[in-house]
Every structure is written in structure tokens, then in C-alpha cells.
Amino acid sequence: APDSDGSGGGGGPSTDPYAGGGAGYKSNPVRPDEVTRNHTSGQTATGGGGGAIWSGGNTSGNGGSGVVVVRYQIGETQAASTKATGGIIETIGSRTYHTFYAAGNFPFTDPTTTTVNALVVGGGGGGGCTGGGNGAGGGAGAVIEGTVDLTGPASVTIEIGSGGNNGGNSPSTLGGIRGGTSSATFPSHPVVAYGGGGGGAGSDQPG
């Protein structure tokens, strides 16, 4: 039998209804003593929440960082850099994608009005520590999509939310830290994704 029934995931921040909760931890039903003691962090550029921990001596996971992807349609004879620069540029079919893993700028140079889509992912929350019980997993960062009509020249500032730190090593009683906010600030309006909430500690300390 497992040492415990496990723990629930942490919820997203109350300021953002789109931020989901992270996965909780479930003890190994066969050999709980052999479960890895340092639990998984959220993957980079996914906004995933950090995993929780279940016993003393363990370390919960950090949240994964966010990402911003901007895309627009191009003509058959246009090069990928004709309309804009910035980020990692890739053209698939008639669409060009600019992927930002770190803060930067998206300089849009085409004077023709173009419909631009932005996918913005906030950083994931860190997992909570045990503190006498089972910590909870950090919440996933929000995933927000926005569409704007953009006319160059225009400069768009890109910010990438970092993943939240974990609650520390047991016997810490701290909850995980909330993930950072990601954004693409277009001239007409920003597209913003808040970070996921930190997972609570087993001592009932909130994240």
C-alpha cells in the first residue's frame, strides 16, 4: 500500500481565470521508498507547473518558463524577414512564425496592414514543500491567444515569464512561488498571460 493517498494540484492565480492547476503527486503503490526524491520541474518554454513532494528530504520542482509565438501570413514571393524581425524565425507554408524564449522585440516593418496572431504562455508555478504533509503541484501558466491588425513601422515589446521557484527542501514549510507574466505589447493593446500559482505546502502554507 502507498504511504499516502497523494496530493492535489495547485490552482492558478485568482487574477486570471484561464490559468489551470498543476498536477499533484501520487505515491508509488508498489515501492514508495524507491520513488525519486527530487521531483520534476516544468519544462522550459511550456509554462508547466513544478511537481510536488511527498516526504522529508525531497525537493519539489520549479515551474517552467513561458514562451511567446507571433505569426502572420506572407505572400508566395516574400521572404520570412520581409514583414518583421526578432525571435527565432520559421516559415511553414504561407505563414511565418517568430518564437521568443527570452525577452526581446518584434520590429514589424511592412507598411501594409497585416493580421498578426500572438500565442502567449505565462510561467508555471513552483511546487510546494512537504512541511509535515504532502505538497501540491504548481499551477500551469495561462495560455492566451490574441489577434491584432498591425501596420509598420511598429515595435512590439516581448516579455517572457520565468518559472516560479519551488518551496525548498524539506522540512521547509513554504509553498511554491507563482510564475512570471508573459506579454506581447502591441500598439493597440497588449496580449498578457499571467503565471500559474505556486503549489501549497503540506503544512497548509499557501503558494
Side-chain angles (χ1 to χ4, degrees):
D3 284 349
S4 68
D5 291 332
S7 64
S14 59
T15 54
D16 189 345
Y18 296 99
Y25 175 75
K26 178 72 174 178
S27 297
N28 188 316
V30 180
R31 296 291 297 277
D33 57 313
E34 293 185 359
V35 176
T36 179
R37 288 186 174 272
N38 294 313
H39 292 284
T40 306
S41 294
Q43 293 187 359
T44 300
T46 65
I53 56 178
W54 63 276
S55 71
N58 296 353
T59 302
S60 52
N62 297 321
S65 59
V67 66
V68 172
V69 181
V70 182
R71 72 174 186 177
Y72 51 84
Q73 190 165 3
I74 60 173
E76 294 181 358
T77 61
Q78 289 180 305
S81 60
T82 298
K83 289 181 179 285
T85 58
I88 298 175
I89 303 173
E90 182 179 15
T91 298
I92 302 176
S94 62
R95 294 189 179 276
T96 295
Y97 297 80
H98 296 248
T99 302
F100 293 85
Y101 298 106
N105 288 297
F106 175 70
F108 191 83
T109 57
D110 193 335
T112 303
T113 299
T114 302
T115 299
V116 175
N117 303 109
L119 179 69
V120 182
V121 181
C129 193
T130 56
N134 294 324
V143 179
I144 303 296
E145 184 175 4
T147 300
V148 300
D149 289 329
L150 196 58
T151 304
S155 182
V156 179
T157 300
I158 304 295
E159 298 290 344
I160 304 297
S162 59
N165 290 333
N166 62 59
N169 297 329
S170 182
S172 168
T173 59
L174 298 177
I177 303 300
R178 174 179 169 173
T181 300
S182 298
S183 62
T185 306
F186 293 95
S188 58
H189 66 276
V191 180
V192 179
Y194 293 105
S203 61
D204 297 328
Q205 177 71 26

